[in-house]
Amino acid sequence: MDLLREMSQHSSNPLELPSSDVRNKVALQTYRKARAMSGNQRDSDEPEDELEVSDLKNYQRHIAGLLQDRPPAQAQYTTRRNTGSELLIDLDEDMDDDKEQDCDGENSDEYDGDSGVDADAAADIDEEMTLYLKSREEQEEIRLEIADLEEAVPAITHDYKLIDRLGMGTFSSVYKAIDLGYHEKWDNTVWHGLHPAGSSAHYQSVPPPPCTKVFVAIKRIYVTSNPERIRNEISILETCRGARHVSQLITAFRHEDQVVAVMPYHPHEDFRSFYRTLPMSGIRAYFRCMFRALRDIHARGIIHRDIKPANFLFDPHKGVGMLVDLGLACRMGVEPPVHYGKCLHTAPTRENPHGRLRRAAEYNSEFVRKKQKDARMRSGWASDRVGYLEKDTRPHSRANRAGTRGFRAPEVLLKCNEQTGAIDMWSAGMILLFFLVGKFPLFQSNDDVEALLEIACIIGRRRMEKVATLHSRTFTTNIPSITPEGKPWRELVETLNPKLRERTKDDTCPNPYNTSEASSGGGSYPPPPSSSSPDPDADSGETHWPSVLGDVQDHETDIEQALDLLERLLHPESIKRITPRQALYHPFLHDSGEEKGDDAFFPHPFGEGVCGEWHFIDPVTEEFRVRIRTEEGSTSVIPVMAGEGMAMGDEPCEFHQGEDMFGSLDE
């Protein structure tokens, strides 16, 4: 009992914390169960023969985490001899690999129970112990999965310690692990990137402090996945290196038929836990991060295709989000040419990222008008005459329709063959709709036809007919609830959320961005602005989102701006839908007081920017190469890795910093 008496002075003693704490509740239940099963006043450290030792060990591992900084000699104890057996219980069991080096080369001889544990160490302990927050059955299932992965890929145990499962899907499972060689073994500068201090993504470039545990996410891609799909995902992850608020590829390797990708671990909260309570400033932070991510990947010719809350990991306490899971992502302009049913809009270009309407001379306008007229006429027929052919002999339309139900844009449902990044913006608009309505999810169709009807019920039959025509399709329906004109999205929001304009949200969400506008009563609370980034050393518990309880007129302005952005994001015609860059400069997200806009921190794709002409891809090896000036004044060509050699805004890349006259490189 001496150990328990010492623990009682510890600030994190589970026996003194409220039982509402999930982990402590489980620990207390296990502890009380052990006491009840003992049947006498024997020390709780001394289990009976019939006690299930695994239960007690889970509790003891939790205590070990709380006392991890305690000197090893005091963190262990041996139980008394029980009848017929002797059991040695080590509070540091399974923790040997996690012991940190003393950075200063000194060890404290005394244990200060009142001072608590260091903030970084406490965070490491919490992240390492998340497995024990889950049910016993799930814990056992996860342990078996981890053991299976370690057996299938033996080399993984040399560099990583798997500790929990983060999620699982159709094509892969993701596990949390500790990178055992981060500080001494690996060069991490490439995937960290070089985002400047003024960028909201600067935290991606800040390495963890020395002697701290670095957590990573290990993605195990199932062997049933198509090899081309695996190659495509890893290739796209490499292309997206250096993009802001996009999960970076650290490395990937294969062992026989097993493929594993390693990415940074991003702490976050479940979308359902904050989407109803996040203030306007937090919603701004959410979409600033999301649209910066989409701007960067779209500029690299990548469409994510599966934008949804589960794939955008947001930490409301820090105001930063990370776009993950590019398993369904694709490159623009790689679809095979279509000769039948070709869309009436062009493919994306630099000037028109979402394409443009083709000129009348580029298609048969008379034929299109005839089809429109026939479709509208059929919409007035009786129900037994309206529908689709049971045995349709026409050629099938083929197009990529990957995505998640309820988030697919109209052009995906209509099987458009020239899809652009506009489909990601539609999905982002759906998420903004959840925030404004306070309901999630909203659309739950069983197939593409039902999904089109759900959208048509809102935007109306005429607009849906126009959208169908844009993609060389026709839309015919006689459902009475689908009116010709429909209604604006703002009307839907105000109908589903009558309290939208009431200021009922309180200031309970910590935020490291306390802007001057919060104290001056300004109507726009932009967290994080383009010129700010999270301070890794800041105590997030002492800062909060700017108060949303200010002037009513300011809140009304916020709502109007958010509704206007919603209308632009959910424009049914893809060519008229707002782009990520335009969204970042929309009044709802743009801070007029900023000296530098988002363009100043935009990481250009390789070969673009002020020094882009001195970057090229080797036509034979397909390696990235950069032409630089040597110390002797001559020029030289060096190979670079994906993520290197990116110009930021109007600034040159890291290889051309300080060059006064780039033209001299051609001499």
Side-chain angles (χ1 to χ4, degrees):
M1 298 299 291
D2 293 337
L3 180 64
L4 292 178
R5 280 195 294 269
E6 269 192 294
M7 282 167 44
S8 65
Q9 300 178 5
H10 195 277
S11 60
S12 299
N13 178 16
L15 302 180
E16 295 180 349
L17 286 178
S19 60
S20 59
D21 184 289
V22 178
R23 182 174 59 187
N24 293 328
K25 184 175 180 181
V26 174
L28 281 171
Q29 290 174 347
T30 307
Y31 172 77
R32 289 167 181 162
K33 179 181 177 181
R35 289 290 299 271
M37 294 181 69
S38 64
N40 52 40
Q41 299 300 318
R42 188 182 296 273
D43 193 323
S44 63
D45 297 340
E46 185 179 12
E48 294 289 327
D49 283 343
E50 64 272 15
L51 176 63
E52 189 174 341
V53 177
S54 61
D55 289 347
L56 187 58
K57 283 188 175 181
N58 287 342
Y59 170 68
Q60 290 162 345
R61 289 192 186 99
H62 167 60
I63 302 301
L66 298 177
L67 298 179
Q68 188 171 5
D69 289 342
R70 181 185 178 86
Q74 294 178 312
Q76 302 180 17
Y77 68 98
T78 306
T79 61
R80 301 174 188 171
R81 181 179 298 276
N82 202 353
T83 55
S85 66
E86 180 175 352
L87 182 64
L88 178 65
I89 301 177
D90 181 1
L91 287 180
D92 286 334
E93 183 177 2
D94 296 332
M95 308 273 289
D96 294 339
D97 294 337
D98 301 337
K99 293 178 181 177
E100 299 179 12
Q101 268 189 322
D102 190 319
C103 299
D104 298 327
E106 299 176 1
N107 290 319
S108 174
D109 294 330
E110 295 183 359
Y111 172 68
D112 186 359
D114 296 329
S115 64
V117 294
D118 178 78
D120 290 335
D124 287 348
I125 292 171
D126 290 343
E127 290 294 352
E128 193 171 352
M129 304 298 290
T130 53
L131 176 65
Y132 299 103
L133 301 178
K134 301 174 180 178
S135 67
R136 189 186 309 166
E137 293 77 11
E138 188 175 6
Q139 288 182 37
E140 185 60 28
E141 176 187 341
I142 293 173
R143 289 193 184 97
L144 290 174
E145 288 185 14
I146 290 176
D148 180 67
L149 175 57
E150 292 176 341
E151 182 180 358
V153 188
I156 202 171
T157 58
H158 301 160
D159 300 315
Y160 304 97
K161 178 183 178 183
L162 283 76
I163 56 178
D164 198 359
R165 184 180 66 195
L166 296 174
M168 55 191 305
T170 306
F171 303 103
S172 61
S173 291
V174 184
Y175 301 90
K176 184 197 295 185
I178 299 174
D179 188 340
L180 303 177
Y182 175 90
H183 294 291
E184 298 86 12
K185 191 173 181 179
W186 314 119
D187 178 10
N188 300 287
T189 54
V190 174
W191 67 265
H192 272 305
L194 296 172
H195 300 285
S199 171
S200 66
H202 176 61
Y203 72 98
Q204 294 177 220
S205 300
V206 178
C211 300
T212 57
K213 294 176 184 174
V214 178
F215 295 91
V216 295
I218 295 183
K219 183 174 185 177
R220 180 186 192 181
I221 303 175
Y222 297 151
V223 295
T224 53
S225 297
N226 187 304
E228 177 58 27
R229 182 184 177 278
I230 299 174
R231 187 206 63 80
N232 178 71
E233 180 177 359
I234 293 177
S235 172
I236 286 177
L237 284 170
E238 276 206 330
T239 301
C240 292
R241 266 189 174 172
R244 298 168 295 175
H245 304 289
V246 178
S247 186
Q248 300 294 290
L249 176 67
I250 298 177
T251 186
F253 50 89
R254 179 179 67 87
H255 179 76
E256 296 179 351
D257 60 348
Q258 301 290 324
V259 179
V260 171
V262 182
M263 290 162 285
Y265 167 68
H266 307 289
H268 64 283
E269 290 190 9
D270 189 286
F271 181 76
R272 294 176 178 82
S273 69
F274 63 79
Y275 80 98
R276 291 181 177 176
T277 58
L278 198 66
M280 277 295 173
S281 53
I283 296 175
R284 281 189 172 93
Y286 187 98
F287 285 101
R288 280 189 176 128
C289 294
M290 175 176 284
F291 290 141
R292 283 169 185 151
L294 291 180
R295 180 184 182 182
D296 292 359
I297 68 171
H298 289 176
R300 288 155 175 76
I302 304 298
I303 309 175
H304 187 280
R305 301 204 63 89
D306 200 18
I307 299 295
K308 58 184 178 181
N311 285 342
F312 188 72
L313 309 182
F314 186 72
D315 186 345
H317 301 285
K318 295 183 179 179
V320 293
M322 190 66 64
L323 186 62
V324 301
D325 194 357
L326 279 77
L328 298 181
C330 67
R331 298 183 185 273
M332 300 182 195
V334 297
E335 295 292 331
V338 176
H339 303 288
Y340 180 84
K342 191 174 184 179
C343 292
L344 303 187
H345 65 85
T346 65
T349 62
R350 184 184 297 274
E351 296 75 21
N352 300 285
H354 293 171
R356 61 165 179 82
L357 184 65
R358 297 183 186 274
R359 299 180 181 88
E362 298 182 55
Y363 62 91
N364 190 339
S365 56
E366 289 297 326
F367 177 78
V368 171
R369 277 195 288 269
K370 180 178 182 300
K371 287 294 183 181
Q372 283 179 315
K373 185 177 180 180
D374 291 345
R376 185 166 295 180
M377 185 183 301
R378 289 198 302 273
S379 295
W381 292 353
S383 59
D384 59 340
R385 300 181 62 190
V386 179
Y388 53 87
L389 298 175
E390 184 177 0
K391 295 182 179 180
D392 195 345
T393 59
R394 295 175 298 178
H396 291 288
S397 297
R398 297 185 181 276
N400 191 339
R401 56 178 299 278
T404 298
R405 177 180 62 174
F407 293 90
R408 293 188 179 100
E411 59 266 31
V412 177
L413 301 172
L414 290 167
K415 297 184 179 179
C416 166
N417 47 59
E418 290 282 3
Q419 295 176 20
T420 67
I423 68 176
D424 290 338
M425 299 304 286
W426 173 277
S427 302
M430 280 294 162
I431 300 176
L432 179 57
L433 183 64
F434 301 150
F435 277 115
L436 296 177
V437 171
K439 294 179 174 62
F440 168 67
L442 282 175
F443 298 96
Q444 290 289 308
S445 57
N446 292 315
D447 54 38
D448 289 354
V449 174
E450 283 189 17
L452 282 170
L453 293 176
E454 287 179 336
I455 298 172
C457 285
I458 300 169
I459 68 174
R461 191 188 71 237
R462 294 186 185 276
R463 293 186 76 186
M464 184 57 78
E465 288 173 347
K466 192 174 181 181
V467 174
T469 300
L470 180 65
H471 304 293
S472 293
R473 308 288 186 267
T474 57
F475 180 80
T476 303
T477 180
N478 61 356
I479 298 176
S481 58
I482 300 180
T483 62
E485 302 302 329
K487 65 179 70 173
W489 288 99
R490 64 168 56 233
E491 185 177 334
L492 174 70
V493 171
E494 292 172 341
T495 301
L496 296 178
N497 186 8
K499 298 182 179 180
L500 174 68
R501 300 181 186 274
E502 297 180 12
R503 309 201 67 171
T504 57
K505 296 177 181 178
D506 57 6
D507 183 21
T508 60
C509 205
N511 170 35
Y513 312 98
N514 264 335
T515 66
S516 57
E517 287 184 281
S519 57
S520 62
S524 177
Y525 311 118
S530 296
S531 57
S532 66
S533 59
D535 180 0
D537 299 324
D539 182 0
S540 61
E542 297 180 359
T543 54
H544 295 80
W545 293 107
S547 176
V548 296
L549 302 178
D551 186 77
V552 175
Q553 184 61 40
D554 295 335
H555 179 69
E556 185 69 21
T557 301
D558 291 340
I559 295 297
E560 286 300 321
Q561 291 176 351
L563 290 172
D564 181 73
L565 178 60
L566 179 71
E567 293 283 357
R568 296 171 184 268
L569 287 169
L570 295 181
H571 198 296
E573 297 178 50
S574 60
I575 59 174
K576 297 181 180 179
R577 202 169 299 148
I578 193 171
T579 65
R581 182 185 181 278
Q582 292 169 346
L584 289 167
Y585 282 94
H586 185 276
F588 181 64
L589 299 180
H590 180 57
D591 179 13
S592 58
E594 286 181 339
E595 295 182 2
K596 297 182 178 180
D598 188 69
D599 290 347
F601 303 100
F602 171 60
H604 294 275
F606 184 83
E608 299 183 15
V610 295
C611 58
E613 59 183 296
W614 292 280
H615 300 196
F616 64 95
I617 300 177
D618 189 291
V620 178
T621 63
E622 297 186 351
E623 290 181 337
F624 292 164
R625 296 187 179 274
V626 174
R627 188 182 303 164
I628 63 171
R629 186 196 304 276
T630 64
E631 295 180 357
E632 294 76 17
S634 60
T635 60
S636 176
V637 174
I638 61 171
V640 297
M641 297 180 65
E644 294 182 316
M646 288 191 307
M648 297 283 179
D650 294 331
E651 297 295 322
C653 71
E654 66 270 26
F655 298 105
H656 296 129
Q657 291 287 342
E659 292 284 352
D660 295 330
M661 296 293 292
F662 291 111
S664 61
L665 290 176
D666 292 328
E667 296 176 359

